[in-house]
C-alpha cells in the first residue's frame, strides 16, 4: 500500500445514516487508519449519495437495472473497486446479496452491519425494518446489531463486533430501528472500520 491509510469504499442503498457515522468518525479521529475514497449506490435516489457529495467523496451509481444479469452487475462493481485499489469494502445498508464471485474476490476485505444480534433474525429476507418487525413479533427483550465479515452465506461471515440494545414496552419497528442505530450500529460500525483498517495497514507494511 503506497498510502499509509486503507482505502475504503462504502456501498449503500438508502438513507446512509451509517455512512454518516463513518464520515463523522473519520472527522473526529475515531477512524484514523482508513479513509473513505468512494461511495457506491445501487439506487440512484439514495440520500446517502448526497451525504457523500457534501464531503466531496467520489460517488458512483451502479444499478442492477442497467445490467442484463447479476453477474454483469457484480463485474461492474468489481471493476470500479479494483480500478481504485480499494482495500476495504463496507456494506452500510447495501440491500443487495453478493455472490461468491464477488465475496471470493475480496475475502476478509468486506464487512457488513446488520441490525440484529446474529444468528437471530438474519439471512435472506431479513433486512431493514423487517428485522425489527421480526424481533418484535418474536417478543425478544434484547436485540442489537452485528458487524461481520461478508462471505457467500448471507450474514454468515465471522463476527467482528456486536452490541446489545433493550426492547422497550410499546416499541414499534421504527422506534426500535432508531434505538438500534443510535445505541449500536453507529458505534460498532465505525469502530469495526477502524479495527479492520488498522489490521490491513499493519499487514501491508
Ligand atoms: C441499517 O439499519 C442497516 O443495519 C440495515 O439497513 C439500515 C440502513 O440504514 N442493513 C440491513 O438490513 C442489511 N441486511 P442507513 O442507510 O441509514 O445506514
Amino acid at each position: 500500500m503506497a498510502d499509509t491509510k486503507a482505502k475504503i469504499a462504502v456501498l449503500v442503498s438508502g438513507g446512509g445514516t451509517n455512512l454518516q457515522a463513518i464520515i463523522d468518525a473519520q472527522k473526529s479521529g475515531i477512524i484514523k487508519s482508513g479513509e473513505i475514497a468512494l461511495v457506491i449506490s445501487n439506487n440512484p435516489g439514495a440520500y446517502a449519495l448526497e451525504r457523500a457529495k457534501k464531503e466531496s467523496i467520489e460517488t458512483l451509481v451502479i444499478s442492477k437495472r442497467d445490467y442484463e444479469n447479476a453477474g454483469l452487475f457484480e463485474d461492474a462493481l468489481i471493476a470500479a473497486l479494483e480500478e481504485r485499489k480499494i482495500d476495504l469494502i463496507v456494506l452500510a445498508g447495501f440491500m443487495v446479496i453478493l455472490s461468491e464471485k464477488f465475496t471470493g474476490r475480496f475475502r476478509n476485505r468486506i464487512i457488513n452491519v446488520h441490525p440484529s444480534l446474529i444468528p437471530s433474525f438474519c439471512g435472506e429476507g431479513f433486512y431493514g425494518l423487517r428485522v425489527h418487525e421480526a424481533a418484535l413479533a418474536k417478543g425478544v427483550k434484547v436485540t442489537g446489531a452485528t458487524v461481520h465479515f461478508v462471505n457467500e452465506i448471507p450474514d454468515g461471515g465471522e463476527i467482528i463486533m456486536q452490541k446489545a440494545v433493550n426492547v422497550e414496552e410499546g416499541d414499534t419497528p421504527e422506534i426500535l430501528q432508531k434505538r438500534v442505530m443510535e445505541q449500536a450500529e453507529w458505534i460498532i460500525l465505525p469502530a469495526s472500520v477502524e479495527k479492520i483498517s488498522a489490521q490491513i495497514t499493519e499487514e501491508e507494511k
Side-chain angles (χ1 to χ4, degrees), residues 158-195:
E158 188 192 330
I159 290 170
I160 300 166
M161 285 187 195
Q162 288 189 304
K163 194 163 187 291
V165 174
N166 285 336
V167 178
E168 309 282 357
E169 200 68 35
D171 271 353
T172 61
E174 289 79 6
I175 290 171
L176 185 56
Q177 178 182 52
K178 187 153 184 279
R179 188 179 313 115
V180 168
M181 283 176 157
E182 284 173 355
Q183 296 185 7
E185 296 185 51
W186 300 341
I187 299 162
I188 63 170
L189 184 59
S192 300
V193 168
E194 172 53 25
K195 182 178 183 205

Side-chain angles (χ1 to χ4, degrees), residues 14-18 92-93 95 112-115 126-128 131 177 181 185:
T17 64
N18 278 288
M95 302 304 187
N112 177 50
V113 62
H114 183 77
F126 286 102
Y127 57 85
V131 178
Q177 178 182 52
M181 283 176 157
E185 296 185 51

Side-chain angles (χ1 to χ4, degrees), residues 11-21 46-48 51 91-97 112-116 121-123 125-132 144-146 148 155 177-178 180-181 185-186 189:
L11 274 53
V12 297
S13 300
T17 64
N18 278 288
L19 167 66
Q20 191 65 54
Y47 183 67
R51 297 182 190 270
L91 309 185
F94 187 59
M95 302 304 187
V96 175
I97 292 182
N112 177 50
V113 62
H114 183 77
S116 76
F121 313 115
C122 67
F126 286 102
Y127 57 85
L129 262 189
R130 288 183 184 212
V131 178
H132 305 291
T146 304
H148 62 92
D155 299 322
Q177 178 182 52
K178 187 153 184 279
V180 168
M181 283 176 157
E185 296 185 51
W186 300 341
L189 184 59

